[in-house]
């Protein structure tokens, strides 16, 4: 069991979100669904929490009501090996949501994700400050990150 688990507060969409997220990532599954009992505070029998795993990482989603919503102050960052992976995750997680700058998006539930190609980190680490600056400027002008665009900027 992992020591620290990300806990996500939803209004009443925890189960739908967990099923959506587990359909997007390989090595993912819904582990357990707990329901409210007579003591509440939710309606007895309705979903209280959903424990699920994404790519082997455990999360808990709560149907806690409308008191709290997600903000961009917290996001889930996804390491992508290829442009194809970036494209697929951008489309699947962004469906019904909204694109943001620099590889960020909000999904249909309001949760923020960063879809980050591994190549971006690699190029930004270049010891040549001119090359890494060109890559940073290119990335700042993108919504979904385009690896070819980053490489073109890197080459100057």
């Amino acid at each position: 069991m992992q020591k620290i688990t990300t806990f996500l507060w939803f209004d009443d969409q925890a189960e739908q979100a967990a099923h959506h997220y587990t359909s997007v990532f390989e090595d993912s599954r819904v582990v357990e669904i707990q329901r409210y009992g007579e003591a509440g505070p939710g309606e007895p029998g309705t979903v209280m929490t959903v424990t699920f795993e994404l790519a082997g990482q455990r999360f808990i989603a709560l149907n806690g009501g409308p008191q709290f919503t997600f903000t961009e102050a917290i996001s889930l960052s996804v390491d992508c090996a290829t442009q194809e992976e970036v494209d697929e995750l951008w489309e699947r997680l962004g469906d019904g949501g909204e694109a943001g700058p620099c590889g960020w998006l909000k999904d249909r539930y309001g949760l923020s994700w960063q879809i980050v190609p591994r190549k971006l980190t690699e190029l930004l680490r270049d010891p040549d400050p001119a090359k890494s600056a060109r890559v940073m400027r290119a990335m700042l002008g993108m919504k979904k990150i385009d690896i070819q665009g980053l490489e073109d900027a890197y080459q100057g």
Side-chain angles (χ1 to χ4, degrees):
M1 180 166 185
Q2 71 190 38
K3 186 135 182 111
I4 299 172
T5 302
T6 301
F7 196 91
L8 303 169
W9 181 300
F10 293 85
D11 180 2
D12 62 358
Q13 316 93 342
E15 185 174 15
Q16 298 93 318
H19 285 295
H20 174 63
Y21 300 148
T22 57
S23 76
V24 170
F25 294 96
E26 292 181 21
D27 187 26
S28 300
R29 67 189 179 107
V30 171
V31 175
E32 178 183 31
I33 297 175
Q34 291 185 332
R35 299 188 178 278
Y36 283 107
E38 293 300 322
E43 186 71 28
T46 62
V47 173
M48 180 175 66
T49 62
V50 181
T51 301
F52 62 102
E53 293 176 356
L54 301 180
Q57 178 75 37
R58 190 159 285 204
F59 296 83
I60 300 172
L62 167 73
N63 280 334
Q67 298 90 329
F68 302 109
T69 57
F70 297 118
T71 74
E72 291 83 355
I74 296 290
S75 62
L76 302 179
S77 182
V78 184
D79 172 64
C80 298
T82 65
Q83 185 67 52
E84 292 75 23
E85 187 178 12
V86 168
D87 295 346
E88 179 183 354
L89 291 175
W90 188 266
E91 183 172 322
R92 293 182 73 189
L93 289 170
D95 182 30
E98 115 187 34
C102 307
W104 292 54
L105 63 83
K106 271 193 208 178
D107 68 25
R108 65 182 80 162
Y109 306 102
L111 183 61
S112 291
W113 297 80
Q114 295 178 56
I115 309 304
V116 184
R118 202 168 294 155
K119 189 70 172 177
L120 172 62
T121 306
E122 207 177 285
L123 295 174
L124 288 173
R125 285 187 182 141
D126 192 284
D128 182 337
K131 288 181 176 181
S132 61
R134 288 194 305 265
V135 171
M136 177 62 79
R137 280 192 296 277
M139 186 267 310
L140 290 172
M142 297 177 181
K143 286 195 181 262
K144 177 178 72 173
I145 303 298
D146 173 55
I147 295 172
Q148 186 61 57
L150 297 175
E151 290 175 338
D152 292 346
Y154 178 81
Q155 296 302 324

